[in-house]
């Protein structure tokens, strides 16, 4: 994605996992983990929405790390319906925190990746160390059992999403009283509207990140 990209390999419970870390010009102010869409339907860490999220966080001064889920690219193993993928994302988090200790963490995902990140956040809450913020694009409501999320989470959805209908997102968020930003005319993959994702996240992100919720 840029000249400051570093490829790496992690050793997970299902084998090797390939990843890439994109870094800002100076020292990173935080860490962003980006999760890609469903592996069985062509989802990879090079998905355009995933790349847009990574690029956005780099411009915000974050180091943005992505991995290919099990069975994708050079990552070993087979699809595990979200459980193993959450394990691997937790491994990525531990790796990044070891490399950049003390920095705030953002969890970002697209489609199936939103389910993985929401599950990871539940694990982090259980041990008293939640990520300060979630960014969920095309949240997988109605497809997977999405848990409750924090009120300050950033949610972006396409008006014409044919894979995850907007109504399913409304039904998930309504009891939580959480807002979602809807991009008019956008389909599930945000064709010709990727710039809106970047603009919205940039506008909604705090100038100074915090380790506290």
């Amino acid at each position: 994605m840029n000249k400051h990209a570093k490829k790496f390999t992690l050793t997970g419970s299902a084998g090797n996992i390939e990843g890439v870390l994109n870094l800002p010009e100076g020292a990173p102010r935080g860490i962003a983990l980006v999760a890609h869409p469903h592996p069985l339907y062509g989802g990879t860490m090079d998905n355009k929405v995933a790349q847009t999220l990574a690029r956005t966080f780099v411009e915000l001064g974050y180091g943005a790390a992505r991995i290919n889920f099990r069975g994708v690219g050079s990552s070993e193993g087979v699809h595990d319906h979200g459980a193993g993928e959450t394990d691997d994302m937790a491994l990525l988090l531990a790796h990044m925190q070891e490399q950049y200790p003390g920095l705030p963490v953002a969890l970002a995902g697209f489609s199936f990746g939103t389910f993985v990140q929401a599950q990871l956040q539940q694990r982090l809450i259980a041990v008293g160390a939640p990520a300060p913020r979630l960014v969920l694009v095309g949240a997988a409501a109605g497809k997977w059992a999405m848990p409750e999320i924090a009120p300050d989470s950033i949610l972006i959805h396409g008006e014409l999403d044919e894979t995850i209908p907007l109504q399913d997102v409304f039904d998930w968020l309504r009891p939580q009283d959480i807002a979602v930003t809807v991009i008019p005319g956008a389909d599930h993959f945000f064709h010709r509207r990727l710039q809106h994702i970047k603009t919205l996240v940039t506008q909604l992100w705090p100038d100074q990140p915090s380790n506290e919720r």
Side-chain angles (χ1 to χ4, degrees):
M1 190 177 67
N2 61 30
K3 64 181 180 179
H4 298 289
K6 297 181 178 180
K7 294 184 179 180
F8 60 88
T9 301
L10 302 177
T11 302
S13 60
N16 289 335
I17 304 167
E18 68 171 330
V20 62
L21 170 64
N22 296 100
L23 293 168
E25 291 290 340
R29 59 180 268 200
I31 301 165
L33 309 187
V34 179
H36 69 69
H38 205 297
L40 300 186
Y41 299 95
T44 78
M45 66 180 179
D46 294 325
N47 167 267
K48 290 183 179 180
V49 176
Q51 288 197 67
T52 297
L53 285 168
R55 185 177 297 111
T56 301
F57 275 105
V58 169
E59 293 189 9
L60 287 168
Y62 280 63
R66 292 167 286 152
I67 56 172
N68 270 331
F69 288 139
R70 301 174 178 203
V72 178
S74 297
S75 291
E76 298 174 337
V78 296
H79 178 62
D80 195 35
H81 308 286
E85 288 78 8
T86 304
D87 290 342
D88 296 340
M89 192 60 65
L91 180 65
L92 174 62
L93 174 59
H95 171 74
M96 292 301 298
Q97 289 179 321
E98 180 179 345
Q99 299 297 313
Y100 300 95
L103 293 184
V105 176
L107 302 181
F110 168 49
S111 194
F112 173 76
T114 68
F115 172 64
V116 172
Q117 298 292 43
Q119 293 298 319
L120 177 57
Q121 180 73 321
Q122 289 299 304
R123 294 188 188 185
L124 296 175
I125 290 171
V127 298
R133 208 164 197 192
L134 295 178
V135 178
L136 307 179
V137 178
K143 294 288 185 182
W144 293 276
M146 293 289 288
E148 291 187 0
I149 57 174
D152 64 351
S153 301
I154 297 174
L155 290 105
I156 301 170
H157 213 83
E159 176 195 15
L160 304 180
D161 191 322
E162 71 290 353
T163 301
I164 303 170
L166 183 58
Q167 187 60 52
D168 288 349
V169 177
F170 286 156
D171 291 343
W172 169 54
L173 293 177
R174 189 178 299 111
Q176 303 180 67
D177 194 23
I178 294 177
V180 56
T181 299
V182 178
I183 298 179
D187 61 12
H188 184 63
F189 292 99
F190 296 86
H191 292 303
R192 299 184 179 180
R193 288 171 172 81
L194 292 171
Q195 73 278 9
H196 294 307
I197 296 173
K198 178 181 176 182
T199 298
L200 287 167
V201 174
T202 300
Q203 290 175 343
L204 294 170
W205 205 255
D207 289 335
Q208 296 298 325
S210 171
N211 283 303
E212 300 179 358
R213 290 191 62 76

